């Protein structure tokens, strides 16, 4: 077994523990090193947000992630430029192809964007659509689904109706870790909020220095 596959297996198993996997998001090398020190300098599996795949063919995307030593990725089901939701069948096919190309060495977190993208009028209930998309993506080979920014009151229903691990997002002013844990989610991530907090603190320091000059 390759080291990459072993790390991916360890990362995948962490989605099925008695408590959710709390996964701090990092946005640069410095913050990555800080969180690695918190983990007592052990080797930690790295997962990457690759948006919608940047137009790469599934095999090329899987290969580039493997070359970078990455064992997990987020793949979203909307276009970052147009903000349009992808056809769920086409997205499921793409996820299947990525999963087939990568095998066990890649943990796929399939983002479900129905709560953050415009939906057509008469498109039905957002929770029902999120469940349907998540089910398709998990059947297609995803290891976890991520209904990003789903309201707290919707998460319990999503966890109950989706037969697989669900990722929730923790953000400033939103539900606490304890509240998210109580819904039964398998994984909690933070998006860019930790980086923004660090940047805001740095900006405050810079302003204070400027005031003293």
């Amino acid at each position: 077994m390759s080291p990459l596959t072993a790390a991916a297996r360890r990362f995948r198993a962490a989605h099925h523990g008695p408590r959710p996997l709390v996964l701090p998001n990092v946005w640069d090398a410095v913050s990555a090193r800080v969180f690695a020190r918190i983990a007592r300098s052990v080797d930690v599996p790295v997962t990457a947000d690759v948006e919608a795949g940047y137009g790469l063919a599934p095999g090329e995307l899987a290969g580039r992630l493997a070359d970078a030593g990455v064992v997990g990725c987020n793949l979203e089901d909307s276009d970052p430029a147009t903000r349009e939701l992808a056809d769920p069948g086409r997205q499921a096919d793409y996820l299947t192809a990525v999963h087939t190309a990568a095998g066990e060495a890649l943990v796929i977190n399939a983002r479900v964007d129905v709560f953050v993208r415009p939906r057509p009028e008469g498109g039905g209930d957002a929770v029902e659509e999120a469940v349907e998309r998540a089910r398709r993506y998990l059947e297609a080979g995803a290891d976890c689904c991520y209904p990003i920014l789903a309201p707290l009151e919707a998460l319990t229903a999503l966890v109950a109706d989706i037969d697989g691990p669900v990722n929730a997002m923790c953000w400033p002013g939103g539900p606490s870790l304890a509240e998210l844990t109580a819904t039964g989610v398998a994984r909690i991530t933070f998006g860019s909020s930790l980086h923004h907090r660090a940047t805001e603190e740095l900006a405050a320091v810079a302003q204070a220095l400027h005031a003293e000059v």
Side-chain angles (χ1 to χ4, degrees), residues 25-40:
N25 296 74
V26 298
W27 292 77
D28 55 24
V30 173
S31 53
R33 285 195 294 271
V34 168
F35 280 111
R37 285 191 197 105
I38 290 173
R40 298 184 183 178

Side-chain angles (χ1 to χ4, degrees), residues 119-161:
R119 299 171 63 248
E121 288 188 29
D125 181 70
V127 173
E128 290 179 1
E129 183 177 352
V131 168
E132 176 60 26
R133 284 176 177 264
R135 286 176 174 171
R136 283 194 181 206
Y137 302 161
L138 289 167
E139 289 171 1
D143 298 279
C144 185
C145 62
Y146 183 15
I148 187 170
L149 291 182
L152 183 65
E153 60 272 15
L155 280 171
T156 301
L158 291 168
V159 170
D161 292 340

Side-chain angles (χ1 to χ4, degrees), residues 52-68:
Y54 307 119
L56 297 174
E60 185 178 0
L61 176 63
R64 290 194 183 190
L65 291 171
D67 290 344

Side-chain angles (χ1 to χ4, degrees), residues 26-148:
V26 298
W27 292 77
D28 55 24
V30 173
S31 53
R33 285 195 294 271
V34 168
F35 280 111
R37 285 191 197 105
I38 290 173
R40 298 184 183 178
S41 299
V42 299
D43 268 345
V44 292
V46 174
T47 183
D49 183 350
V50 293
E51 297 188 341
Y54 307 119
L56 297 174
E60 185 178 0
L61 176 63
R64 290 194 183 190
L65 291 171
D67 290 344
V70 170
V71 299
C73 72
N74 280 14
L75 280 167
E76 56 199 56
D77 67 346
S78 67
D79 187 312
T82 67
R83 297 177 58 81
E84 292 181 355
L85 286 165
D87 174 79
R90 214 165 30 242
Q91 181 69 3
D93 289 343
Y94 185 73
L95 292 170
T96 295
V98 174
H99 172 69
T100 300
E104 277 193 273
L106 185 68
V107 177
I108 299 173
N109 190 32
R111 210 176 88 173
V112 178
D113 286 359
V114 299
F115 296 102
V116 294
R117 299 299 190 219
R119 299 171 63 248
E121 288 188 29
D125 181 70
V127 173
E128 290 179 1
E129 183 177 352
V131 168
E132 176 60 26
R133 284 176 177 264
R135 286 176 174 171
R136 283 194 181 206
Y137 302 161
L138 289 167
E139 289 171 1
D143 298 279
C144 185
C145 62
Y146 183 15
I148 187 170

Side-chain angles (χ1 to χ4, degrees), residues 164-178:
V166 175
N167 185 159
M169 182 175 175
C170 185
W171 70 94
S176 67
L177 281 176

